[in-house]
């Protein structure tokens, strides 16, 4: 007997199936499972199921003061089964974060900030002595199942007078540690975006890809995507949304889409202020904005499940396959108007909303907000 059987699970691609869950894993997938479960969950006709949504850029260590939030308030309550904290903490305080994260119902992972105290101040990479590769290696050894990559914030307000140097240091740390995933934040120059992209390799993740700044991917005069950006995409650099308070612009995303440039993964850069006051609110809202721009729902779901799981080597998450973790998001659509706002105050009207109803993590059910 299974611990849980999910009945009549509809996916966005039109597949209908039963899913048998045992010991927190997907044990069996079939059009119909005849065996009973100790518990059974029957989806309503208007409900859909996907692998659990993954938000790969959040800030959820509640003990911080600049950027912080609470994992379950941005996770299971918002239809998200897994969050990756994007560099809130560094080697000196990530152990404390880990202890907090273990109390959450949401799956929590972390990118280790290359600055040893993380984001305790806006300019954490202005002092290069805070980048200590030996401390990074020590924490990667101590917390190998929690730390899934490293983070470097490469904008003027963060690096001060150091320009591109912190990125070179991040790449060296990456290479010294089995080429673990690297996420790089972009913003104001210097360093210039062309320098940053030149320093990245296939599989590196560039977040805030559709920000509206002069140092972004779009030429502000011609409204064209800068030629070196397309070369970076061809090289295999991953483009992540990382919406945030100041890093998503409708026009940039729209012009990019028109010119064949799409985000590879969708994330929020959520923390308590932009969750409560906007313009972020939750992952579903960011997904709705991408749908408005032209992305299809199947590809949007792929960009919050398969893509982030692969980018950060979460090998048993992101797919509905036997042997994978039993993490699911159950959601519905509502034909209802809503005004959505980008990071620069520009507004658009959507007519179709995606609303998470509940999540299942390791076979356990949690109602959404």
């Amino acid at each position: 007997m299974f611990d849980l059987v999910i009945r009549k699970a509809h996916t966005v691609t039109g597949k209908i199936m039963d899913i048998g869950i045992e010991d927190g894993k997907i044990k069996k997938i079939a059009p119909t499972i005849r065996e009973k479960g100790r518990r059974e969950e029957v989806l309503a006709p208007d409900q859909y199921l996907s692998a659990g949504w993954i938000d790969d850029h959040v800030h959820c260590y509640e003990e911080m003061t600049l950027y912080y939030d609470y994992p379950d308030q941005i996770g299971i309550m918002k239809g998200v089964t897994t969050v990756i904290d994007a560099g809130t903490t560094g080697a000196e305080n990530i152990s404390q974060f880990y202890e907090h994260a273990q109390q959450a119902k949401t799956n929590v992972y972390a990118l280790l900030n290359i600055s040893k105290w993380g984001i305790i101040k806006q300019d954490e990479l202005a002092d290069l002595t805070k980048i200590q590769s030996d401390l990074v290696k020590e924490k990667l050894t101590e917390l190998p199942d929690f730390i899934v990559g490293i983070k470097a914030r490469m904008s003027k307000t963060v690096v001060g007078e150091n320009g591109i140097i912190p990125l070179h240091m991040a790449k060296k740390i990456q290479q010294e540690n089995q080429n673990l995933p690297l996420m790089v934040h972009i913003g104001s120059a210097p360093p210039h975006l062309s320098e940053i992209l030149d320093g990245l390799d296939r599989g590196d993740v560039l977040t805030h890809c559709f920000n509206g700044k002069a140092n972004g991917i779009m030429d502000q005069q011609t409204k064209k995507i800068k030629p070196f950006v397309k070369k970076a995409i061809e090289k295999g650099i991953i483009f992540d949304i990382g919406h945030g308070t100041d890093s998503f612009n409708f026009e940039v995303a729209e012009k990019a889409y028109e010119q064949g440039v799409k985000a590879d993964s969708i994330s929020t850069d959520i923390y308590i202020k932009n969750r409560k006051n906007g313009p972020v609110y939750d992952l579903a809202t960011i997904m709705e904005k991408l749908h408005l721009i032209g992305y299809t729902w199947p590809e949007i779901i792929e960009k919050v499940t398969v893509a982030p799981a692969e980018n950060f080597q979460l090998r048993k998450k992101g797919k509905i396959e036997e042997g994978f973790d039993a993490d699911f998001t159950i959601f519905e659509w509502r034909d209802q108007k809503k005004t959505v706002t980008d990071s620069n105050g520009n507004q658009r009207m959507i007519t179709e909303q995606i609303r998470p109803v509940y999540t299942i993590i390791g076979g356990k059910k949690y109602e959404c907000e």
Side-chain angles (χ1 to χ4, degrees):
M1 181 178 287
F2 295 106
D3 297 329
L4 171 67
V5 177
I6 303 173
R7 305 283 184 189
K8 300 179 181 178
H10 298 71
T11 72
V12 291
T13 59
K15 188 175 181 179
I16 304 175
M17 58 191 160
D18 287 358
I19 304 170
I21 296 164
E22 193 173 299
D23 296 327
K25 301 288 184 180
I26 300 172
K27 186 72 173 180
K28 185 175 182 180
I29 299 171
T32 302
I33 293 177
R34 299 193 180 278
E35 301 98 310
K36 294 290 184 181
R38 292 181 180 87
R39 293 181 297 115
E40 302 228 346
E41 193 70 37
V42 182
L43 268 64
D46 61 345
Q47 292 179 342
Y48 290 78
L49 174 144
S50 72
W53 295 352
I54 301 169
D55 191 344
D56 70 19
H57 187 157
V58 310
H59 295 282
C60 65
Y61 179 33
E62 60 262 44
E63 296 297 319
M64 298 296 266
T65 56
L66 193 57
Y67 301 118
Y68 71 94
D69 214 321
Y70 304 84
D72 289 337
Q73 292 187 30
I74 61 175
I76 56 171
M77 292 178 68
K78 299 293 190 177
V80 176
T81 61
T82 298
V83 297
I84 301 177
D85 183 278
T88 307
T89 56
E92 294 284 9
N93 52 2
I94 196 165
S95 296
Q96 297 94 313
F97 175 35
Y98 172 73
E99 295 301 325
H100 279 266
Q102 292 303 104
Q103 307 306 311
K105 298 178 178 69
T106 307
N107 301 304
V108 183
Y109 298 93
L111 303 181
L112 182 68
N113 196 309
I114 62 169
S115 180
K116 66 179 184 176
W117 289 107
I119 314 175
I120 57 172
K121 294 195 301 181
Q122 190 67 256
D123 62 345
E124 76 266 17
L125 295 178
D127 180 357
L128 297 180
T129 67
K130 292 179 180 176
I131 306 173
Q132 297 183 18
S133 59
D134 56 336
L135 286 178
V136 172
K137 191 174 190 68
E138 178 183 315
K139 289 302 169 181
L140 291 170
T141 301
E142 178 186 327
L143 300 169
D145 297 326
F146 181 58
I147 301 172
V148 296
I150 57 175
K151 173 78 177 292
R153 300 201 306 148
M154 294 301 300
S155 57
K156 172 65 174 175
T157 55
V158 178
V159 303
E161 301 303 316
N162 290 324
I164 201 69
I165 295 172
L167 180 58
H168 294 161
M169 297 175 77
K171 290 297 292 184
K172 187 171 186 295
I173 290 170
Q174 179 189 40
Q175 291 156 10
E176 291 171 349
N177 293 279
Q178 291 81 46
N179 285 312
L180 76 168
L182 167 66
M183 176 183 279
V184 174
H185 148 125
I186 59 170
S188 56
H192 292 283
L193 180 59
S194 57
E195 290 182 276
I196 294 170
L197 291 174
D198 281 346
L200 299 182
D201 298 304
R202 174 176 293 275
D204 290 339
V205 179
L206 179 131
T207 193
H208 307 318
C209 65
F210 294 150
N211 73 59
K213 299 170 185 176
N215 194 40
I217 69 169
M218 186 181 80
D219 185 301
Q220 301 288 330
Q221 302 300 316
T222 66
K223 307 301 181 184
K224 298 290 186 182
I225 301 304
K226 298 169 182 175
F228 63 78
V229 171
K230 294 188 176 182
K231 290 181 180 178
I233 293 170
E234 292 170 3
K235 187 166 69 170
I237 294 169
I238 296 163
F239 278 34
D240 178 68
I241 293 292
H243 187 299
T245 304
D246 196 36
S247 297
F248 180 84
N249 179 274
F250 277 127
E251 184 181 36
V252 174
E254 290 161 351
K255 293 297 183 184
Y257 183 83
E258 291 170 7
Q259 295 169 52
V261 174
K262 291 185 179 181
D264 298 295
S265 55
I266 300 172
S267 65
T268 59
D269 188 18
I270 198 168
Y271 76 111
I272 195 164
K273 288 184 180 179
N274 65 31
R275 170 170 63 86
K276 289 186 173 183
N277 303 325
V280 174
Y281 298 111
D282 51 36
L283 183 58
T285 299
I286 312 307
M287 294 161 68
E288 290 165 350
K289 293 177 185 181
L290 272 293
H291 184 250
L292 173 70
I293 286 164
Y295 293 63
T296 67
W297 283 118
E299 69 180 324
I300 288 170
I301 295 298
E302 187 269 341
K303 293 176 192 300
V304 298
T305 54
V306 177
E310 290 181 349
N311 294 344
F312 293 100
Q313 300 173 12
L314 305 179
R315 293 184 174 85
K316 293 298 181 181
K317 296 190 183 298
K319 296 180 182 180
I320 304 173
E321 291 185 8
E322 292 177 3
F324 274 59
D325 292 344
D327 295 352
F328 308 97
T329 300
I330 292 80
F331 56 92
E332 62 190 18
W333 279 286
R334 295 179 186 172
D335 292 326
Q336 186 175 349
K337 290 182 179 181
K338 182 172 83 173
T339 299
V340 291
T341 307
D342 70 9
S343 298
N344 301 112
N346 304 299
Q347 295 187 329
R348 299 284 191 275
M349 179 70 71
I350 65 168
T351 57
E352 187 176 35
Q353 299 180 36
I354 186 169
R355 305 309 304 163
V357 180
Y358 60 92
T359 61
I360 293 173
I361 298 179
K364 295 182 180 179
K365 179 180 176 179
Y366 303 98
E367 299 290 338
C368 294
E369 189 175 54

